[in-house]
Amino acid sequence: MLSYFKKKPAVPPSVAAELASTALTNALADEVSSPKGSSLAADSVASSSWRERLRGSIFTRDLGDLFRRRLPIDDNLLEEIETTLLRADLGVAATEFVINALREAIKRSEVNDAPALVDFLRAMLVAMLRPVSVPLDISLAKPFILLTVGVNGVGKTTTIGKLARRFADERKKVMLAAGDTFRAAAVEQLQQWGERNQVPVVAQGAGADSASVSFDAAQMAAARGIDLLIVDTAGRLHTQSGLMDELAKVKRVLSKVDPNAPHEVLLVIDGTTGQNAINQVRHFHKAVGVTGLVVTKLDGSAKGGVVFALAREFGIPIRFVGLGEKVHDLRAFDADAYVDALLPTDLAG
């Protein structure tokens, strides 16, 4: 079991920069053919669209293969399901919860064939995710100040650009703050997103004090009647105590403009990092009080189960998930659509 939780190597800065540049290029190219308002339209698409994006996950592949073997409903099948869930990064706690519930349902004769088992599994998984399927409501303050945090290479700056486009599509006045002053390319990338989305970007250049940039942006947002201010921050490892303290400083400075700011601390995590995401959430939550999550890169090699582990461990709302590189592939999280996508339609057939 321990082999499922090996730490993955960090992404080298040069590689991370190249990936960020590629993501920006791909997303902006899609913008030409994306009409205003299409962010909300993307959220409401059928489950088949989610299924198409998530079909490559280990969760979907392994469960599909398992059920198509039409094994008898017994302890051996439960062991195989348990192994599959662990391989898919559900984590020990969430997996034990599901397996124990399945075992009791089988004893009560509530589950006696494959279709019934799949239906029960679906109900269990949806029930785990619905409490964290909470949309982001920026109408609670004006300006609504959103502080984005995360480690290097998770797609934080790209997520900010997509969020800016999303709320601009909703006719909200959006402003960006280039608080990632540690990496020179980050300021330029955010300015490109601002230009493409036609939203102002407050920046002081590389090497400036991040807290100062954030404070100035918050004051400007209040003076200009901005609806949403999205503050970028430098990517940092959750084990770097000095940088985490600096992040806490940014949060304190924002509260001087509005005692309730930031109104959302949004942690961006990479869905392919598996159980390492749990450690990231734990450390960032301790440092700055995370109030929402964005899980990116779920359309690629992600195992799919980390979302359940996060829900079970923390109960922090999952605001958005990244299902592709295009601008409108950042979707508001939908528990039902996500689970339906992970459980192929032919399992119960």
Side-chain angles (χ1 to χ4, degrees):
M1 182 182 300
L2 293 177
S3 62
Y4 298 136
F5 307 109
K6 289 181 179 178
K7 185 176 180 181
K8 297 193 175 183
V11 178
S14 59
V15 176
E18 182 178 350
L19 291 174
S21 177
T22 301
L24 176 60
T25 301
N26 291 339
L28 295 181
D30 174 60
E31 188 174 346
V32 176
S33 58
S34 300
K36 290 289 184 180
S38 53
S39 293
L40 295 179
D43 289 343
S44 62
V45 296
S47 295
S48 58
S49 175
W50 287 66
R51 186 175 300 113
E52 181 181 346
R53 302 302 177 89
L54 298 172
R55 63 186 176 185
S57 71
I58 286 179
F59 195 117
T60 299
R61 294 200 315 269
D62 285 8
L63 270 185
D65 292 343
L66 178 60
F67 280 89
R68 278 188 286 271
R69 288 159 55 191
R70 299 188 180 278
L71 300 174
I73 309 299
D74 56 17
D75 286 341
N76 290 331
L77 177 59
L78 288 180
E79 287 183 9
E80 294 214 39
I81 294 175
E82 181 178 19
T83 299
T84 296
L85 297 182
L86 287 171
R87 272 175 44 81
D89 280 335
L90 258 78
V92 175
T95 297
E96 287 183 348
F97 177 72
V98 171
I99 295 301
N100 289 338
L102 274 174
R103 183 173 284 112
E104 290 301 315
I106 292 172
K107 288 181 180 178
R108 295 191 301 267
S109 298
E110 295 175 5
V111 172
N112 49 30
D113 58 22
L117 195 154
V118 174
D119 288 343
F120 186 88
L121 183 59
R122 180 193 183 280
M124 286 283 299
L125 295 176
V126 170
M128 291 175 65
L129 293 183
R130 274 185 180 160
V132 299
S133 183
V134 182
L136 179 64
D137 183 4
I138 69 167
S139 67
L140 301 177
K142 185 171 182 176
F144 187 95
I145 300 177
L146 190 159
L147 180 67
T148 55
V149 300
V151 303
N152 288 307
V154 297
K156 180 166 50 64
T157 303
T158 300
T159 296
I160 290 173
K162 292 179 179 180
L163 283 172
R165 174 60 185 269
R166 178 187 187 87
F167 288 102
D169 284 352
E170 297 179 23
R171 301 298 188 266
K172 302 297 184 182
K173 296 178 66 176
V174 181
M175 176 181 285
L176 306 180
D180 183 356
T181 57
F182 183 76
R183 184 170 58 94
V187 176
E188 181 181 349
Q189 287 170 5
L190 202 67
Q191 289 172 329
Q192 288 179 325
W193 277 111
E195 180 180 347
R196 294 288 182 172
N197 291 324
Q198 298 182 338
V199 301
V201 178
V202 178
Q204 294 182 8
D209 180 61
S210 180
S212 175
V213 174
S214 303
F215 182 78
D216 289 349
Q219 288 190 315
M220 293 176 63
R224 296 185 184 184
I226 295 295
D227 296 305
L228 173 65
L229 170 65
I230 307 177
V231 180
D232 191 11
T233 58
R236 62 204 72 213
L237 294 175
H238 51 278
T239 54
Q240 295 173 310
S241 58
L243 290 176
M244 294 296 279
D245 291 342
E246 188 177 296
L247 193 59
K249 176 186 175 182
V250 172
K251 185 179 178 182
R252 290 195 302 272
V253 165
L254 289 173
S255 69
K256 293 181 179 180
V257 179
D258 180 341
N260 296 317
H263 306 100
E264 176 88 352
V265 178
L266 197 64
L267 173 61
V268 182
I269 56 178
D270 182 339
T272 66
T273 59
Q275 289 296 304
N276 191 41
I278 300 294
N279 292 329
Q280 292 176 25
V281 175
R282 184 175 293 115
H283 283 84
F284 275 97
H285 191 45
K286 181 180 179 180
V288 291
V290 175
T291 58
L293 301 174
V294 178
V295 185
T296 64
K297 307 179 185 179
L298 286 174
D299 59 311
S301 60
K303 298 180 180 181
V306 69
V307 171
F308 300 94
L310 292 168
R312 180 74 175 168
E313 180 84 10
F314 302 104
I316 297 174
I318 300 174
R319 306 297 193 184
F320 302 96
V321 291
L323 301 181
E325 295 183 348
K326 297 181 179 180
V327 169
H328 298 112
D329 285 336
L330 185 69
R331 308 277 182 87
F333 184 62
D334 182 327
D336 292 82
Y338 189 77
V339 172
D340 284 342
L342 292 177
L343 297 177
T345 54
D346 61 349
L347 286 185

